[in-house]
Amino acid sequence: MFVFSLLSVILLCALNQSCGQFQRKNEDCFCGLKGNIEDCECEVDTLDDFNNVKIYPRLRSLLVKDYFRYFKVNLKKKCPFWEDDSKCSMRYCSVQSCQKDDVPIGIKGEVKKEEFFGPFLSESGSMCRNVKKPISSCVPNQCQCQNVGHTTVPKENECGRSNNLDYLNTTLSAKIVKDMELWTAHDYAQENFCIIDENDDESEYVDLLLNPERYTGYKGKSAERVWKSIYTENCFQARSWEKPSIFKLDNMCLEERVFYRTISGLHASINIHLCANYLLSDPNKPSLIQPTGEWGMNLEEFERRFLPSSTNGQGLNWLRNLYFLYLVELRAIEKAAPLLEREAFYTGNEKEDWDTKMAVNDLLKVIKQFPSHFDESVMFMGGTDKKNLKREFRDHFRNVSRIMDCVGCDKCKLWGKLQTQGLGTALKILFSIENGKVENFKLQRNEIVSLLNAFGRLSNSIYKLDDFREMQKK
């Protein structure tokens, strides 16, 4: 009887230990990544299916098109916040810029002036008002322009009147035209949620396909200082830095929560990219077979960055913020659809331009069918305080884009600037287009490229996240 009891106790202890191990293992997984996405009316599983089946395959084929693969960026800007000469120690940090002949002529802007300015340019390059069509297409009885000294006046026969004293000069000098361009650029920049540097003298075109986002070994104090600055110096209330989990969302208003979740979601997405495209071979011993290194998915690194046990229980929250950011950018693209549907996606290659336009329209058609878009209309509602909050929101995110110039790894800086510019473009769309009126709203080419590529990075993250979860199960 004693032996039987002892065996029972031993079996019971073994069973309890086994159950405890199973319970700990079950808790230390990604099983909790499900259910409703906070501040949205959408479920994780619904978004997984929508992205992995409908969005990801379309973006994967779209973003290799010439219009979207060339991004103009200034990687030589100095950090505006601190002196930092830290550099990534691995050769995989470098970025290969394009040669002039590599970039399609349409992207470089090598097209006729009339295609840019349409009816507003005379043959000399001056601006002439009241001209319905470009000069090359003018017909008799339709007003043309000719230069007289420093002014532009109508031709006598074609305008139906002579150059007499009652003529009202409605032309603009070259200096005024230049000033107007500067005024327009200044007004345009006021709407931006990020710093766009494509027109800088040091900006260069980069082929994103030749410089993929992946693990470069950039880490340590320099990388930590960048994220610390993003999380703390750009928050609406001063908070001490320990981990991103120090932020108490319950104490934030909706606008503050949205700001934090977009930054946290971007951080999570970048971490997934690095784990999914991780350097698996010895960086100091490249083989003849794989001289550029062996890259692939690193489950151990992914678990270190996201498992509850290694993130003080915050890993799943960071991943949920990825889904939230996905919904924010998805809604921005849906809202900008009328603009994107009119875009020519011009590169100079007629066939590819047509294919690109059809692919974008197909993507937009699918996005419009999504039933649970993020609702930005509930933000910044109210009086003066809310308007000030909107301005503060925009200024904070501009600082985030400035901080990208402090990244000490060129490849990390490239993709950081692209993704923050894409998110900034999405925020600009959400909070600048009111009541669906897009007539006076414009997007530059670099904004369109960054918007779709940034969304493509989020789509890729959710797709790879599913792969990591399957790897863990096995």
Side-chain angles (χ1 to χ4, degrees):
M1 185 68 178
F2 174 76
V3 175
F4 177 78
S5 300
L6 182 60
L7 288 174
S8 299
V9 171
I10 293 174
L11 289 173
L12 183 60
C13 291
L15 182 61
N16 288 337
Q17 184 179 9
S18 177
C19 290
Q21 290 174 346
F22 175 79
Q23 184 177 6
R24 286 193 298 273
K25 183 178 180 181
N26 191 50
E27 290 175 351
D28 204 12
C29 69
F30 301 98
C31 310
L33 190 59
K34 57 185 178 181
N36 187 64
I37 302 169
E38 293 78 359
D39 291 320
C40 297
E41 295 182 0
C42 184
E43 303 245 333
V44 169
D45 291 342
T46 301
L47 199 53
D48 277 334
D49 292 339
F50 179 74
N51 176 73
N52 296 347
V53 176
K54 296 183 178 181
I55 297 296
Y56 175 77
R58 286 175 167 84
L59 284 172
R60 187 175 182 181
S61 62
L62 173 65
L63 296 179
V64 298
K65 302 289 187 184
D66 282 352
Y67 185 89
F68 291 104
R69 68 183 288 182
Y70 294 102
F71 180 64
K72 195 173 185 182
V73 62
N74 183 359
L75 298 177
K76 299 176 182 178
K77 272 188 176 180
K78 293 184 178 180
C79 174
F81 300 107
W82 59 78
E83 290 292 332
D84 190 5
D85 58 356
S86 62
K87 295 293 181 181
C88 182
S89 59
M90 295 173 62
R91 59 193 180 96
Y92 304 110
C93 296
S94 61
V95 170
Q96 179 181 346
S97 299
C98 295
Q99 300 298 316
K100 183 177 180 180
D101 294 337
D102 295 336
V103 184
I105 58 173
I107 292 178
K108 290 185 291 187
E110 295 178 358
V111 293
K112 296 179 180 180
K113 287 187 295 184
E114 288 80 5
E115 295 185 47
F116 280 114
F117 299 101
F120 302 106
L121 279 178
S122 67
E123 292 173 305
S124 66
S126 301
M127 291 189 72
C128 176
R129 294 184 178 180
N130 302 324
V131 182
K132 302 290 184 182
K133 296 180 181 180
I135 293 302
S136 59
S137 61
C138 280
V139 294
N141 300 324
Q142 192 170 21
C143 183
Q144 278 191 329
C145 298
Q146 66 177 353
N147 285 332
V148 178
H150 297 289
T151 63
T152 308
V153 300
K155 289 183 178 179
E156 180 176 357
N157 294 332
E158 295 175 354
C159 293
R161 61 180 178 180
S162 63
N163 183 24
N164 51 31
L165 294 177
D166 66 352
Y167 168 68
L168 178 63
N169 189 340
T170 60
T171 61
L172 303 174
S173 69
K175 181 180 184 306
I176 293 178
V177 171
K178 182 63 176 177
D179 288 342
M180 288 181 64
E181 291 175 354
L182 293 175
W183 296 336
T184 302
H186 173 76
D187 293 340
Y188 182 84
Q190 301 310 301
E191 300 178 354
N192 290 342
F193 278 72
C194 60
I195 304 301
I196 300 176
D197 54 25
E198 66 171 318
N199 296 321
D200 292 355
D201 292 337
E202 294 182 306
S203 293
E204 297 178 295
Y205 284 100
V206 175
D207 187 337
L208 298 176
L209 299 187
L210 296 181
N211 297 276
E213 183 181 21
R214 58 191 183 186
Y215 178 79
T216 63
Y218 177 63
K219 55 185 178 180
K221 292 184 178 180
S222 176
E224 183 180 347
R225 179 160 54 174
V226 169
W227 283 113
K228 175 183 177 180
S229 182
I230 290 173
Y231 275 112
T232 59
E233 294 180 18
N234 292 279
C235 294
F236 298 92
Q237 299 174 8
R239 296 177 175 87
S240 61
W241 167 261
E242 291 178 9
K243 293 182 178 180
S245 59
I246 198 70
F247 293 83
K248 304 297 183 182
L249 300 187
D250 294 341
N251 300 328
M252 296 182 183
C253 65
L254 173 62
E255 290 79 6
E256 291 177 315
R257 292 200 305 273
V258 168
F259 187 92
Y260 167 73
R261 284 199 169 111
T262 56
I263 296 300
S264 175
L266 177 62
H267 196 176
S269 180
I270 290 174
N271 278 333
I272 292 176
H273 303 157
L274 304 185
C275 297
N277 210 354
Y278 200 87
L279 182 59
L280 302 177
S281 60
D282 187 341
N284 299 316
K285 298 179 181 178
S287 65
L288 295 176
I289 301 176
Q290 295 173 314
T292 60
E294 179 186 357
W295 305 83
M297 299 183 69
N298 188 327
L299 177 61
E300 181 180 354
E301 181 66 17
F302 176 77
E303 290 180 334
R304 185 186 71 80
R305 293 176 186 253
F306 290 107
L307 276 182
S309 62
S310 58
T311 59
N312 196 26
Q314 293 299 311
L316 296 185
N317 292 332
W318 300 338
L319 292 175
R320 297 177 77 84
N321 291 334
L322 161 65
Y323 284 83
F324 176 82
L325 176 57
Y326 182 99
L327 288 172
V328 169
E329 295 196 12
L330 182 74
R331 166 57 180 155
I333 295 173
E334 193 266 346
K335 195 171 184 178
L339 287 172
L340 297 175
E341 288 168 345
R342 296 201 303 263
E343 182 67 31
F345 301 102
Y346 179 72
T347 66
N349 184 329
E350 185 176 352
K351 182 181 184 306
E352 171 146 326
D353 294 349
W354 175 259
D355 290 343
T356 302
K357 186 172 182 61
M358 292 300 100
V360 171
N361 288 344
D362 178 54
L363 175 67
L364 294 175
K365 182 179 178 181
V366 173
I367 290 176
K368 289 177 182 179
Q369 296 171 353
F370 187 70
S372 305
H373 280 289
F374 173 73
D375 183 9
E376 77 284 356
S377 65
V378 299
M379 295 180 61
F380 306 115
M381 298 292 291
T384 305
D385 290 343
K386 287 294 185 179
K387 291 181 180 179
N388 292 337
L389 184 62
K390 182 177 180 179
R391 183 176 62 252
E392 191 179 0
F393 189 103
R394 182 187 60 205
D395 292 344
H396 284 324
F397 198 83
R398 282 184 179 179
N399 280 342
V400 172
S401 67
R402 291 188 180 99
I403 292 172
M404 289 299 110
D405 289 315
C406 301
V407 176
C409 161
D410 281 349
K411 187 164 290 183
C412 306
K413 182 185 296 185
L414 164 66
W415 286 98
K417 289 172 79 75
L418 182 142
Q419 290 173 85
T420 53
Q421 182 174 314
L423 175 52
T425 302
L427 296 174
K428 172 183 172 181
I429 292 169
L430 290 179
F431 304 125
S432 299
I433 298 179
E434 297 181 358
N435 301 319
K437 296 179 180 179
V438 299
E439 291 79 7
N440 298 321
F441 188 84
K442 296 181 180 180
L443 290 175
Q444 300 176 7
R445 177 190 169 271
N446 236 35
E447 290 178 300
I448 296 175
V449 171
S450 63
L451 176 66
L452 270 296
N453 269 287
F455 184 60
R457 293 282 78 202
L458 299 177
S459 176
N460 179 268
S461 293
I462 291 178
Y463 188 87
K464 293 298 182 182
L465 176 58
D466 193 53
D467 287 343
F468 276 122
R469 291 159 77 178
E470 289 299 317
M471 288 176 65
Q472 193 192 45
K473 290 178 183 178
K474 295 177 181 180

